[in-house]
């Protein structure tokens, strides 16, 4: 699904990301952990062609993201609030995103219906604009919008942030369900080791822009990671 | 103590913002021009002050000068209203700190006193005070006179700030003030009384009865208090609730746009953006002013026979709204630019949507201003030529340069302290838009064939329209080239 070759990026002379090679097969849920400044968000932005790579290529389904545009139709993403149009109501935002993703009106209704549990009754029909919702609810909207149009690949940067415990659990279930039903590939970064080990079947530890560990999740993974980070 | 931090923070905010660093050369150039202008103004002011009794040809020439002062105040007031940048301080980061609220407000207001307009007042008044008022009335009254004049200038300063703040939040107060000003101006114009004589009389009265010179100072204090109380109330609201309670309404739903697919979708979001954000709404409030601009000039034959000036007005009335829209076509969407470029929206469609909407705006402005034809058929011709030029040439050019506007803007923040990009530089960028058509028209006009100039102007517009596909391609390539830089700039919340 994702192939990265010699991808690197520097800011004012310092390498923030340097990945000789990274392959993520279809259907994998890929967890990205690492302390602040490890290069997680930089990698996301490079994969989404939001910043220009210094060297190397990132490919989604064999398409170079910096050249083609087609990958956008199979990719959903939520990195930060820059992915929300905050002066729209949630309904309008979903309608907009759905239309852009080529969904019909019924598709959108069906999709929102399926999200009701995740929204926990706090998002739709609240008669509020997105900018007036709490951080947690904004996060829910962004994550849900990333799942619209049945993407093959979904990128989520710290999706568990500012979600309440119930919603954190529901998000994990949602991700697992998507993977089981549609073989969706997920790329999830998080500071919460419990969550990533539970959801992801492969975990990569980034440190100063390089891959430190690349492990397939097993029963011992959590303790391994805790040992690594307990410096 | 704290003031030092505020100044320091503001300085850093300016210097570290990407727009400053990237356009350093432009800033230096503007600073240089400003310096030259000031030096010239100072020299002229000194010369006039020393020769005034010869110019006025009178034994007691001061009242004649007071008339000039009257026009100076009136002119400055208008000029300030359109050009003055309002004092900005992001107070939010300081609000939870143990800083006195009053102190924040005094800082914001005091900071506003240090602007070019007030400096100009010093240049204008001081030489005359020394050379003339001092000569006729002695040092003490001269000093009082200077204080009175500077107080009046500062009163105007605070009145303009108050009006511009109200402009965003309360249209009624501004309309009332504008109506009063218009009434004063019209009264003078129709000769019911003479504004200059009235003001000159007031100033002379104060000079003859020196204790009255305190009056302008009292006015200044009142104007300051007005601003102070206005800001204090605003700060309080933010402090209490964090966000202003917003009444929920969803204006701008145009279901009919859905029929146009993606283009309609993009335009739909644009319309909502305009109707739901304070900053964009204030531009909409100003649109009658843009459209009504012609009324200032057409009734006056002195102007309406000067073709060059009419070109300027013509470009303005049908193009100003379009330019306002296109200049920020991407910057207004900066807050979700990342979404736009990753969502799979076809950029070409996106640009086409922007162009289509800008076209609609221009056409509507043109149709609304057709009644100006009542002032003469030549005005109709001029406006049509300008309209075509706006549509064919200025529109794609403005959209092309919009990709260079990559500073993130706060659209939804409470209005009290949010005036980014509404100052002189905003207008300065628009200057070429008005100068180029003039340069095309004037040679023909000077050669005695202004009609041909209009035909050339209009034809250029039509040619531009014919090449619109080509322009779209160029803008598209430019957007692709610049999207990383733009996305980076928008992500940098100042």
């Amino acid at each position: 699904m994702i192939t990265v070759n010699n991808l690197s990026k520097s800011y004012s002379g310092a390498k923030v990301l340097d990945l000789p090679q990274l392959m993520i097969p279809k259907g994998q849920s890929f967890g990205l952990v690492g302390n602040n400044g490890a290069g997680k968000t930089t990698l996301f932005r490079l994969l989404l062609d939001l910043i220009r790579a210094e060297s190397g290529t990132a490919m989604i389904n064999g398409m170079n993201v910096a050249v083609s545009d087609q990958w956008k139709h199979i990719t959903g993403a939520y990195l930060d609030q820059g992915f929300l149009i905050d002066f729209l109501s949630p309904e309008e935002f979903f309608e907009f995103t759905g239309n852009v993703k080529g969904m019909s009106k019924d598709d959108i209704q069906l999709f929102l219906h399926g999200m009701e549990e995740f929204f926990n009754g706090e998002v739709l029909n609240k008669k509020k604009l997105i900018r007036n919702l709490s951080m947690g609810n904004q996060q829910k909207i962004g994550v849900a919008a990333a799942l619209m149009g049945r993407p093959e690949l979904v990128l989520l940067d710290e999706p568990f942030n500012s979600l309440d415990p119930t919603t954190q659990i529901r998000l994990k279930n949602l991700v697992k369900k998507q993977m089981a039903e549609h073989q969706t590939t997920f790329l999830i970064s998080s500071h919460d080791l419990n969550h990533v080990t539970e959801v992801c079947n492969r975990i990569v530890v980034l440190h100063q822009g390089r891959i430190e560990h690349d492990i397939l999740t097993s029963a011992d993974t959590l303790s391994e990671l805790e040992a690594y980070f307990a410096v | 103590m704290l003031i030092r931090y505020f100044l320091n923070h503001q300085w850093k905010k300016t210097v570290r913002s990407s727009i400053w660093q990237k356009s350093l050369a432009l800033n230096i150039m503007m600073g240089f021009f400003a310096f030259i202008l000031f030096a010239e103004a100072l020299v002229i002011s000194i010369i006039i002050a020393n020769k005034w009794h010869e110019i006025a040809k009178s034994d007691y020439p001061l009242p004649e000068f007071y008339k000039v002062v009257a026009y100076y105040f009136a002119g400055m007031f208008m000029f300030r209203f359109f050009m003055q940048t309002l004092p900005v301080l992001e107070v939010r980061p300081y609000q939870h700190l143990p800083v006195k609220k009053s102190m924040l407000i005094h800082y914001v207001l005091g900071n506003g006193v240090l602007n070019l307009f007030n400096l100009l007042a010093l240049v204008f008044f001081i030489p005359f005070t020394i050379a003339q008022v001092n000569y006729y009335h002695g040092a003490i009254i001269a000093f009082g006179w200077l204080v009175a004049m500077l107080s009046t200038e500062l009163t105007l300063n605070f009145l303009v700030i108050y009006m511009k703040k109200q402009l965003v939040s309360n249209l009624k107060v501004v309309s009332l003030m504008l109506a009063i000003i218009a009434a004063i101006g019209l009264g003078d114009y129709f000769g019911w009384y003479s504004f200059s004589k009235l003001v000159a009389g007031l100033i002379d009265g104060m000079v003859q009865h020196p204790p009255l010179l305190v009056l302008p100072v009292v006015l200044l204090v009142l104007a300051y208090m007005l601003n102070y109380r206005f800001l204090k109330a605003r700060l309080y609201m933010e402090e209490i609730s964090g966000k202003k309670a917003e009444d929920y309404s969803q204006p701008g739903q145009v279901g009919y746009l859905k029929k146009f697919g993606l283009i309609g979708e993009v335009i739909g979001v644009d319309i909502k953006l305009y109707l739901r954000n304070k900053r964009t709404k204030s531009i909409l409030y100003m649109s009658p002013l843009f459209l009504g601009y012609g009324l200032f000039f057409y009734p006056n034959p002195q102007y309406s026979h000067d073709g060059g000036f009419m070109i300027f007005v013509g470009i303005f009335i049908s193009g100003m709204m379009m330019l306002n829209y296109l200049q920020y076509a991407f910057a207004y969407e900066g807050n979700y630019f990342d979404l736009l470029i990753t969502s799979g929206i076809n950029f070409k469609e996106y640009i086409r949507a922007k162009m289509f909407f800008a076209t609609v705006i221009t056409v509507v402005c043109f149709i609304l201003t057709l009644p100006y034809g009542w002032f003469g058929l030549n005005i109709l011709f001029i406006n049509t030529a300008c309209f075509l030029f706006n549509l064919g040439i200025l529109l794609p050019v403005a959209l092309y340069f919009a990709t260079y506007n990559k500073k993130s803007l706060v659209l939804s923040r409470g209005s009290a302290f949010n005036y980014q990009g509404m100052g002189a530089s905003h207008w300065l960028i628009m200057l070429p838009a008005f100068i180029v058509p003039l340069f095309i028209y004037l040679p023909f006009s000077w050669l005695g064939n202004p009609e041909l100039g209009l035909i050339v102007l209009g034809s250029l517009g039509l040619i531009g329209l014919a090449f619109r596909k080509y322009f779209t391609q160029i803008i598209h390539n430019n957007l692709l080239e610049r999207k990383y830089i733009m996305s980076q700039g928008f992500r940098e919340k100042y």
Side-chain angles (χ1 to χ4, degrees):
Chain A
M1 192 79 221
I2 296 180
T3 318
V4 167
N5 273 316
N6 288 324
L7 196 63
S8 73
K9 179 80 189 168
S10 309
Y11 284 115
S12 45
K15 274 252 154 76
V16 289
L17 194 75
D18 188 9
L19 295 181
Q21 182 121 62
L22 181 68
M23 294 258 283
I24 302 174
K26 189 170 167 50
Q28 190 170 61
S29 61
F30 181 96
L32 206 53
V33 293
N35 290 330
N36 292 330
K40 301 184 298 290
T41 306
T42 306
L43 175 58
F44 279 125
R45 288 194 178 139
L46 282 169
L47 286 174
L48 289 170
D49 194 36
L50 289 174
I51 50 182
R52 202 193 294 270
E54 196 170 284
S55 71
T57 52
M59 313 240 258
I60 292 179
N61 257 5
M63 295 172 267
N64 185 338
V65 293
V67 177
S68 158
D69 252 348
Q70 287 305 309
W71 57 272
K72 289 177 184 170
H73 297 290
I74 55 162
T75 308
Y78 182 71
L79 303 194
D80 51 41
Q81 281 165 328
F83 285 70
L84 293 175
I85 306 182
D86 65 358
F87 55 83
L88 296 184
S89 69
E91 293 83 358
E92 288 170 338
F93 180 64
F94 287 125
E95 191 190 322
F96 171 76
T97 315
N99 281 335
V100 171
K101 300 272 177 194
M103 295 166 79
S104 73
K105 217 173 178 158
D106 293 340
D107 287 342
I108 296 172
Q109 281 315 312
L110 208 65
F111 172 84
L112 291 180
H113 188 68
M115 282 290 158
E116 261 166 21
E117 193 197 354
F118 180 58
F119 289 153
N120 202 16
E122 286 161 349
V123 170
L124 297 177
N125 305 319
K126 282 287 153 194
K127 297 202 180 298
K128 272 188 179 175
L129 302 184
I130 293 179
R131 66 177 175 221
N132 297 328
L133 293 172
S134 70
M135 285 282 279
N137 285 327
Q138 291 182 354
Q139 183 87 359
K140 286 184 206 169
I141 294 169
V143 171
L147 296 176
M148 290 186 96
R150 217 170 269 178
E152 292 175 40
L153 170 67
V154 176
L155 283 76
L156 301 173
D157 193 8
E158 303 189 20
F160 298 104
N161 271 9
S162 54
L163 293 183
D164 58 57
T166 306
T167 316
Q168 291 185 13
I169 293 166
R170 286 181 183 169
L171 176 57
K172 284 189 276 189
N173 294 336
L174 190 65
V175 170
K176 286 178 196 161
K177 195 173 140 215
Q178 286 277 329
M179 283 168 55
E181 285 176 9
H182 309 299
Q183 286 77 49
T184 314
T185 313
F186 275 92
L187 214 78
I188 296 173
S189 80
S190 179
H191 287 307
D192 191 313
L193 301 176
N194 282 304
H195 291 323
V196 268
T197 40
E198 190 182 328
V199 171
C200 299
N201 40 38
R202 177 182 172 195
I203 289 175
V204 157
V205 181
L206 277 184
H207 180 65
Q208 296 184 344
R210 291 166 189 281
I211 295 180
E212 284 271 309
H213 287 281
D214 188 348
I215 24 185
L216 292 177
T217 318
S218 67
D220 307 325
T221 309
L222 184 57
S223 48
E224 260 176 65
L225 287 174
E226 278 174 349
Y228 171 80
F229 281 106
V231 189
Chain B
M1 266 351 262
L2 277 163
I3 289 279
R4 214 186 44 178
Y5 279 107
F6 289 163
L7 288 171
N8 183 284
H9 288 177
Q10 204 175 24
W11 170 249
K12 282 179 179 159
K13 195 179 108 189
T14 318
V15 176
R16 290 178 184 176
S17 74
S18 66
I19 198 146
W20 171 266
Q21 287 175 343
K22 294 285 153 55
S23 54
L24 192 62
L26 188 73
N27 281 314
I28 290 173
M29 219 167 75
M30 279 179 70
F32 179 70
F33 281 131
F35 176 76
I36 296 277
L37 276 177
F38 261 95
E40 284 176 0
L42 185 63
V43 170
I44 293 171
S45 175
I46 291 174
I47 292 174
I48 291 182
N50 280 308
K51 306 237 172 205
W52 183 253
H53 48 280
E54 293 168 25
I55 298 169
K57 293 195 182 76
S58 157
D59 293 338
Y60 184 63
L62 299 191
E64 281 305 311
F65 188 72
Y66 298 156
K67 285 185 189 167
V68 179
V69 171
Y71 283 115
Y72 175 80
F73 281 146
M76 279 313 262
F77 185 80
M78 298 306 278
F79 203 54
R80 278 168 183 276
F81 189 79
F82 286 107
M83 301 287 275
Q84 188 166 356
T85 320
L86 290 144
V88 178
L89 172 74
E90 285 297 320
V91 285
R92 188 161 291 196
Y94 307 111
Q95 277 180 332
H96 69 282
L97 299 173
V99 182
K100 263 199 190 149
K101 214 193 299 179
S102 55
M103 146 114 193
L104 284 175
I105 301 168
H106 286 311
Y107 174 72
V108 170
L109 290 175
N111 201 20
V113 171
L114 294 171
N115 70 33
L116 291 180
F117 298 102
N118 295 332
L119 222 64
L120 197 64
L122 292 179
V123 170
F124 182 73
F125 286 113
I126 289 180
F128 190 81
T129 312
I130 296 171
Q132 299 288 341
V133 188
N134 184 31
Y135 176 82
Y136 288 100
H137 293 280
I140 297 172
I141 290 181
F143 180 73
W145 185 81
L146 181 64
V147 170
M149 290 303 107
L150 293 180
S151 299
T152 312
E153 184 72 29
L154 284 180
T155 307
L156 292 185
N157 174 59
F158 286 118
L159 266 183
V160 166
I161 292 178
Y162 182 73
M163 281 176 73
K164 283 187 104 163
K165 286 192 189 311
Q166 289 280 17
L167 187 63
V168 189
S169 54
N170 189 346
L171 199 62
K172 270 180 225 151
V173 175
V174 182
S175 318
L176 188 70
M177 289 172 103
L178 282 179
I180 293 173
I181 292 165
I184 293 174
L186 283 176
D188 185 58
Y189 180 79
F190 289 116
W192 298 335
Y193 66 92
S194 164
F195 172 70
S196 57
K197 270 189 195 152
L198 188 75
V199 174
L202 285 175
I203 299 177
D204 196 41
M206 287 193 290
V207 174
Q208 302 302 334
H209 309 276
L212 290 178
L213 286 169
V214 180
L215 276 179
V217 182
V218 174
L219 272 180
L220 171 62
V221 173
L222 288 177
Y224 187 87
M225 289 309 290
L226 187 70
N227 268 285
Y228 180 83
R229 288 182 54 181
F230 179 79
L231 285 184
K232 186 148 187 168
R234 299 300 135 129
L235 271 179
Y236 187 67
M237 260 208 275
E238 281 192 332
E239 200 176 58
I240 289 294
S241 62
K243 260 177 222 161
K244 240 190 247 180
E246 204 167 349
D247 63 321
Y248 176 80
S249 59
Q250 298 188 351
Q253 275 158 331
V254 192
Y256 156 83
L257 280 171
K258 296 272 177 283
K259 287 184 196 143
F260 295 98
L262 192 63
I263 288 189
E265 204 61 57
V266 172
I267 293 174
V269 170
D270 259 343
I271 292 176
K272 286 172 195 150
L273 183 146
Y274 260 79
L275 295 178
R276 292 182 190 179
N277 289 301
K278 285 209 172 102
R279 175 166 177 162
T280 41
K281 264 195 281 185
S282 69
I283 290 177
L284 291 181
Y285 291 148
M286 277 169 79
S287 52
L289 204 65
F290 297 148
L291 294 178
Y293 195 64
L295 285 178
F296 292 112
F297 302 102
Y298 294 146
N300 190 338
Q302 199 185 334
Y303 291 121
S304 60
H305 287 104
D306 179 356
F309 200 74
M310 285 298 97
I311 294 283
F312 173 79
V313 178
I315 294 283
F316 194 95
I317 56 176
S318 67
M320 202 56 195
M321 289 296 286
M322 178 267 283
L323 284 173
N324 253 314
Y325 167 69
L326 285 183
Q327 218 186 0
Y328 296 110
F330 306 115
Y332 279 155
E333 300 203 287
N335 286 331
Y336 50 92
F337 194 70
D338 284 356
L339 172 80
L340 290 178
I341 62 179
T342 55
S343 65
I345 290 179
N346 183 319
F347 281 169
K348 231 179 227 174
E349 290 275 295
Y350 178 60
I351 290 165
R352 232 174 265 150
K354 295 274 176 197
M355 286 185 126
F356 180 73
F357 194 38
T359 306
V360 171
I361 293 173
T362 318
V363 170
V364 168
C365 285
F366 175 65
I367 292 173
L368 285 177
T369 54
L370 273 181
Y372 280 139
W374 187 71
F375 288 108
L377 218 53
N378 65 323
I379 286 175
L380 197 63
F381 286 136
I382 292 172
N383 284 357
T384 309
C386 289
F387 160 70
L388 289 174
F389 188 81
N390 276 334
L391 209 57
I393 307 287
L394 279 189
L395 189 151
V397 171
L399 190 57
Y400 180 85
F401 282 106
T403 57
Y404 291 87
N405 208 343
K406 58 182 178 58
K407 201 182 174 194
S408 70
L409 301 168
V410 177
L411 301 175
S412 50
R413 187 86 56 84
S415 58
F417 292 99
N418 176 19
Y419 296 97
Q420 300 163 283
M422 269 176 96
S425 60
H426 164 84
W427 302 92
L428 207 72
I429 294 168
M430 291 203 176
L431 274 181
F434 293 101
I435 289 173
V436 171
L438 264 185
F439 276 6
I440 295 169
Y441 170 81
L442 281 180
F444 293 100
S445 171
W446 285 333
L447 291 175
N449 204 344
E451 289 83 9
L452 190 62
L454 289 183
I455 290 170
V456 169
L457 209 59
S459 310
L460 278 175
L462 287 176
I463 293 170
L465 269 179
F467 278 92
R468 185 162 271 195
K469 244 191 189 143
Y470 175 69
F471 286 138
T472 313
Q473 186 62 44
I474 293 179
I475 297 168
H476 176 241
N477 294 345
N478 189 45
L479 184 64
L480 283 183
E481 181 57 37
R482 291 193 48 84
K483 66 174 182 177
Y484 301 107
I485 302 168
M486 290 164 76
S487 157
Q488 172 92 40
F490 292 142
R491 238 179 272 134
E492 245 169 64
K493 310 287 176 220
Y494 61 100

